[in-house]
């Protein structure tokens, strides 16, 4: 929608107190009562005012929503509600009946009221009904009673709201809780329009933004949804949620939500990482964001930088959070832990604290082992940690640099080996990369020695994982530089399990085309649009035409000298069809412009040109690939995609490896395969002069 449209609408701005805080709304292990109480303390300290209790996998919140709380649970909840009160935090109790409720059955409505009445007796004053992540198809009984799903939800929500005495805070989470879920669009969604019209005005609506996990949330998008909902939404922000990927954790600052949003919203609740302690940054920076516009004059913003918020700098908010977090890392949290951690003092004159054990601490004698002393964690360590686990759509600066450097080192290693003037730069950048990897290892060591074990344990799997990932990359760069044998670390036939990471899920992902192709390296924008589709027999003449055209172009000045054929020629010339699922065609606006074909078993093609290839080579690389691209295809990405898809089909067929033959004069394809990284030059006896073989194991 255009800006002009949005100004025509009635402005719908937030009224009443701005709701700010945390929603425990993720899947997986809920937080403990102690952690929640700790959360209230933090919220109070940082100026946040609300906690929405909505742990998806708590039995009685969702699956067994009808069940009342037993005495022990009741006691715990009462304790929690009063702890929230003590810390001036509004405790909002949410229930998710949507998995199996029959809206039209009065017994179901009664069960819902009974449950919420019980929680009201515990001292709770604010409530929420959540209808996210449920089937949108109504049961036949409900279809008879309600004209739509939205009508059913709204009817029950209004009734419960009135039953509870119209609480000041009452939140409703729609089933279409973000723009991508709305059909055909936010403004035309009949579901959302019904909610907007029929939901009583005292009820607020939760909204996650353009997507479930929204990269950015713009003022315009909020104006649009507000006009449909006829109220300003409360953002349920999944920016730091990590329940959808066990390898990710988000320690970057609250970001990409302009503070201009604040007057347009009823509130913001963050649904953060499942692990409680690492949420320090998520919650601290949200608090800084919420306070930003109220806290004095806007900051100076450099002219022309429209991306910058005049009131809030994510970088500064992050630094503030990390500085406070460092203190928490350094505080001992374990009752049985060391009385005072043995940290190396940085030129401090302080006497060590006295222990209360009655005995004097052990002091090693001469010639005995010195006590282990840990390096203290630094702010730079935490900055690096946050950079490595930043945000769902963005890596931190150091992480980006490391990826870019690795990419460069990989792509330039052959040129650096061949041309001496490039060697020095390659070596120096390889050394810098190594230093960055070492900093990750050192950070890991210092974190593991930090006195606060609760934070460490929440972080442990993630930091271990990144340490191993970085370790593999580091070893690979050493291999590229010729410092260690590839077989020693990486390309071993029988690697340790940490050499092939990710388990079964990793296997599945590696078999899918395009895996890992998130555009981290920001190639210059390409204007051409390509289509990759499966090869069909009708493509044969066009494929052959491209093959001949490229063959001719390659012959150049040596055209008169007959060139020895390649094993893959019979594939390209249509004499042997590609194996099943092993043919791909590339098309652009002008038509067919490239192809990638493979034969799982290359032997018949070799026999056709009477090429003798040793059995051991075929055993290691049984499959052959033919890839060709017309010169007008300057963007290497479609070819990369085709090779990726082809290799995954070849791998699925059980083949151990694939090779391609290239003429030495074919710089373009040599360059392409070298840059892919996985293909290496292979020595083969009896190859005609001028032909090179590049191969990859699968
Ligand atoms: C969701 C779920 C939420 C989950 C999040 C991230 C909402 C309203 N519901 O869709 O429980 O934690 O995604 O996976 O966001």
């Amino acid at each position: 929608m255009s800006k002009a449209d949005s100004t025509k609408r009635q402005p719908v701005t937030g009224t009443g107190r701005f709701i700010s805080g945390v929603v425990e709304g993720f899947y997986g292990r809920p937080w403990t009562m102690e952690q929640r109480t700790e959360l209230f303390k933090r919220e109070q300290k940082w100026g946040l005012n609300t906690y929405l209790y909505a742990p998806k996998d708590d039995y009685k919140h969702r699956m067994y929503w009808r069940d009342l709380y037993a005495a022990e649970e009741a006691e715990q909840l009462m304790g929690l509600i009063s702890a929230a009160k003590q810390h001036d935090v509004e405790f909002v109790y949410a229930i998710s009946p949507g998995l199996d409720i029959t809206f039209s059955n009065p017994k179901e409505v009664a069960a819902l009221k009974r449950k919420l009445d019980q929680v009201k007796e515990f001292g709770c004053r604010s409530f929420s009904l959540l209808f996210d992540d449920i089937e949108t198809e109504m049961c036949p009984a409900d279809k008879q009673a309600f004209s739509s799903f939205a009508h059913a939800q709204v009817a029950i929500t209004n009734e419960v709201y009135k039953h509870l005495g119209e609480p000041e805070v009452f939140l409703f989470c729609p089933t279409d809780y973000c723009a991508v879920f709305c059909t055909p669009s936010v403004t035309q969604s009949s579901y959302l329009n019904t909610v907007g019209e029929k939901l009583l005005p005292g009820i607020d609506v939760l909204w996650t933004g353009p997507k479930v996990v929204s990269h950015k949330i713009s003022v315009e998008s909020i104006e649009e949804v507000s006009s449909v909902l006829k109220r300003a939404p409360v953002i349920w922000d999944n920016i730091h949620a990590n329940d959808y990927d066990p390898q990710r954790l988000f320690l970057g600052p609250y970001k990409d939500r302009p503070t201009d949003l604040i007057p347009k919203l009823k509130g913001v609740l963050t649904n953060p990482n499942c692990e409680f302690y690492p949420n320090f940054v998520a919650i601290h920076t949200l608090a800084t964001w919420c306070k930003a516009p109220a806290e004095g004059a806007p900051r100076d913003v450099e002219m022309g930088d429209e991306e910058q918020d005049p009131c809030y700098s994510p970088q500064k908010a992050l630094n503030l959070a990390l500085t406070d977090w460092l203190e928490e890392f350094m505080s001992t949290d374990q009752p049985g832990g060391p009385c005072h951690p043995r940290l190396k003092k940085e030129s401090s004159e302080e006497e060590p604290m006295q222990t209360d054990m009655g005995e004097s601490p052990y002091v090693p004698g001469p010639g005995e082992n010195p006590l282990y002393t840990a390096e203290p964690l630094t702010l730079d360590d935490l900055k690096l940690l946050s950079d490595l686990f930043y945000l769902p759509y963005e890596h931190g600066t150091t992480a980006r640099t490391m990826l870019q450097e690795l990419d460069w080192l990989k792509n330039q290693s052959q040129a650096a080996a061949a041309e001496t003037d490039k060697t020095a730069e390659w070596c120096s950048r390889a050394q810098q990369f190594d230093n960055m990897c070492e900093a990750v290892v050192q950070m890991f060591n210092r974190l593991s020695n930090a006195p606060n074990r609760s934070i460490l344990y929440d972080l442990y799997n993630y930091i271990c994982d990144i340490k191993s990932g970085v370790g593999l990359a580091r070893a690979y760069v050493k291999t590229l530089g010729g410092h260690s044998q590839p077989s020693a670390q990486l390309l071993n036939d029988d690697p340790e399990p940490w050499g092939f990471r990710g388990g079964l899920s990793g296997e599945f992902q590696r078999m899918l085309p395009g895996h890992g192709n998130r555009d981290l390296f920001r190639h210059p924008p390409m204007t051409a649009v390509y289509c990759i589709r499966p090869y069909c027999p009708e493509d044969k003449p066009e494929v052959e035409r491209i093959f001949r055209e490229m063959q001719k172009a390659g012959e150049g000045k040596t055209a008169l000298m007959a060139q020895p054929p390649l094993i893959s020629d019979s594939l390209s010339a249509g004499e042997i069809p590609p194996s099943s699922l092993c043919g791909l065609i590339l098309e652009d606006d002008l038509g067919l412009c490239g192809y990638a074909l493979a034969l799982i078993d290359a032997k018949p093609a070799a026999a056709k040109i009477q090429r003798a290839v040793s059995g051991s080579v075929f055993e290691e690389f049984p499959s052959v690939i033919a890839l060709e691209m017309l010169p007008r295809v300057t963007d290497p990405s479609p070819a990369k995609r085709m090779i990726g898809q082809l290799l995954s089909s070849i791998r699925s067929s059980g083949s151990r490896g694939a090779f391609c033959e290239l003429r030495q004069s074919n710089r373009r394809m040599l360059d392409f395969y070298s840059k892919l990284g996985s293909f290496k030059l292979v020595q083969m006896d009896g190859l005609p002069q001028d032909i090179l073989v590049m191969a990859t194991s699968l």
Side-chain angles (χ1 to χ4, degrees), residues 25-27 54 56 132-133 173-174 177 181 206 208 212-213 236 238 241-244 271-272:
F26 46 82
Y27 291 87
K56 277 276 186 303
D132 57 323
D133 296 2
C173 182
Y177 53 83
F181 285 4
L206 293 157
T208 66
V212 176
V213 179
W236 165 313
N238 286 322
N242 72 341
D243 54 359
Y244 52 84
N271 176 38

Side-chain angles (χ1 to χ4, degrees), residues 8 20 27 33 44 58 61-62 158 190 245 492:
K8 265 188 233 145
S20 64
Y27 291 87
M33 294 297 173
Q44 183 178 38
D58 175 284
H61 161 74
R62 194 168 62 120
N158 286 343
S190 63
D245 186 341
N492 195 318

Side-chain angles (χ1 to χ4, degrees), residues 208-270:
T208 66
K211 302 206 286 175
V212 176
V213 179
S214 294
H215 182 182
K216 297 179 183 205
I217 302 180
S218 70
V219 170
E220 287 77 13
S221 76
I222 292 304
E223 285 173 345
E224 180 182 52
V225 72
S226 300
S227 75
V228 179
L229 293 174
K230 303 201 187 329
R231 69 207 79 202
V234 174
I235 295 294
W236 165 313
D237 210 324
N238 286 322
I239 181 174
H240 286 98
N242 72 341
D243 54 359
Y244 52 84
D245 186 341
Q247 281 189 307
R248 306 187 74 185
L249 181 75
F250 300 111
L251 307 177
Y254 192 68
K255 194 171 177 285
D256 296 320
R257 285 89 174 110
T259 51
D260 287 351
L261 275 177
I262 295 174
K264 310 264 174 184
L265 292 172
K266 180 67 208 271
V268 179
L269 297 172
T270 183

Side-chain angles (χ1 to χ4, degrees), residues 66-86:
R66 296 176 190 82
D67 292 7
L68 296 177
Y69 290 106
E72 202 183 317
E73 296 165 315
E75 206 177 302
Q76 288 200 329
L77 269 176
M78 273 189 272
L80 198 63
I81 292 164
S82 82
K85 259 194 204 115
Q86 263 176 35

